[in-house]
Amino acid sequence: MDEATYRELVRYVLPHVNGVVPCGTTGEFSSMALEEKKQVIEICIDEVNGRLPVLAGTGCQSTRETLELTRWARDAGATGALVVAPYFLKPAFNEVFDHYRQVDRVGLPLVLYNIPQCAGTHYRWWTAEGMALAFDNVIGMKDSSGDIPFFMAALEKLRCKIGLFCGHDEVAGAALLAGGDGLILASANLIPDIWQEIYQAAVSYTH
């Protein structure tokens, strides 16, 4: 990886964001070896140096690897973990639930990550509600589906219980105005200042 450019990117976004996410989808985590993911997360934690939360992407194709990386991120000092459902094999909803139940036991604050266009599994609102309420360490959900009816159902069931974040750039404004708590966006790597203005404007309007 290009460490110098990566550190430059982190420094570029820091003044404009409320947190950073190493090894998210935009970071192409699915193409990295486990050791490369650890390197990326470690550099990000070092560069941020406690100034903002670091939500480490620790979702892997298997539960075993996800547990290993999530434990490692916890011990490395990550604030929390962003964990996608196991991808490629399209697990059933009970298997998704069992996967997250094991990850929850690691003890790191956990943000569920719904991105069906990549993972192949789309949460249903009752699945999201069940995982958010049944587990001890779930603090939020990132929904990148672009499915506004799903996001609205999640808001109805989970608002004020966990944080609800939109990860789909095209519907981000609508999600904020509907009551979403924040955004985790690909384009925020390029225009973090503009997205911060949009976020602040939406917060002012909805409050």
Side-chain angles (χ1 to χ4, degrees):
M1 65 163 292
D2 184 345
E3 179 175 344
T5 302
Y6 181 47
R7 287 183 181 273
E8 184 179 349
L9 174 63
V10 175
R11 289 194 295 270
Y12 170 70
V13 302
L14 272 180
H16 309 291
V17 299
N18 302 91
V20 292
V21 183
C23 292
T25 298
T26 306
E28 300 181 1
F29 73 91
S30 59
S31 298
M32 294 184 198
L34 196 62
E35 290 306 314
E36 290 175 313
K37 295 176 189 178
K38 292 177 181 179
Q39 182 185 13
V40 168
I41 294 168
E42 189 171 44
I43 291 169
C44 184
I45 291 171
D46 178 68
E47 190 64 44
V48 171
N49 195 27
R51 287 172 285 181
L52 290 174
V54 175
L55 185 66
T58 63
C60 299
Q61 194 169 334
S62 71
T63 301
R64 181 184 294 115
E65 280 192 325
T66 302
L67 289 170
E68 179 183 344
L69 188 56
T70 305
R71 292 188 188 108
W72 182 91
R74 177 197 62 196
D75 296 341
T79 312
L82 177 70
V83 181
V84 70
Y87 45 92
F88 184 72
L89 290 177
K90 301 181 181 180
F93 292 120
N94 63 308
E95 294 170 327
V96 171
F97 187 93
D98 289 343
H99 170 80
Y100 281 112
R101 178 165 53 188
Q102 292 194 52
V103 179
D104 181 69
R105 291 171 179 160
V106 173
L108 188 64
L110 179 63
V111 175
L112 310 171
Y113 186 7
N114 183 44
I115 182 167
Q117 60 269 42
C118 293
T121 303
H122 191 347
Y123 300 170
R124 298 295 185 263
W125 67 258
W126 55 87
T127 313
E129 181 185 30
M131 293 188 294
L133 300 181
F135 303 148
D136 295 329
N137 295 296
V138 172
I139 60 166
M141 178 178 69
K142 176 188 177 184
D143 176 42
S144 294
S145 67
D147 182 349
I148 285 292
F150 167 77
F151 194 76
M152 295 299 294
L155 284 170
E156 179 183 342
K157 299 295 182 180
L158 295 170
R159 183 183 289 160
C160 300
K161 295 174 182 171
I162 63 171
L164 294 166
F165 304 93
C166 177
H168 197 285
D169 300 54
E170 291 86 344
V171 300
L176 283 178
L177 291 174
D181 293 294
L183 309 169
I184 303 174
L185 301 177
S187 59
N189 289 282
L190 300 173
I191 50 171
D193 52 340
I194 294 174
W195 277 118
Q196 184 64 247
E197 288 182 27
I198 294 170
Y199 169 73
Q200 294 297 338
V203 169
S204 298
Y205 179 80
T206 54
H207 291 78

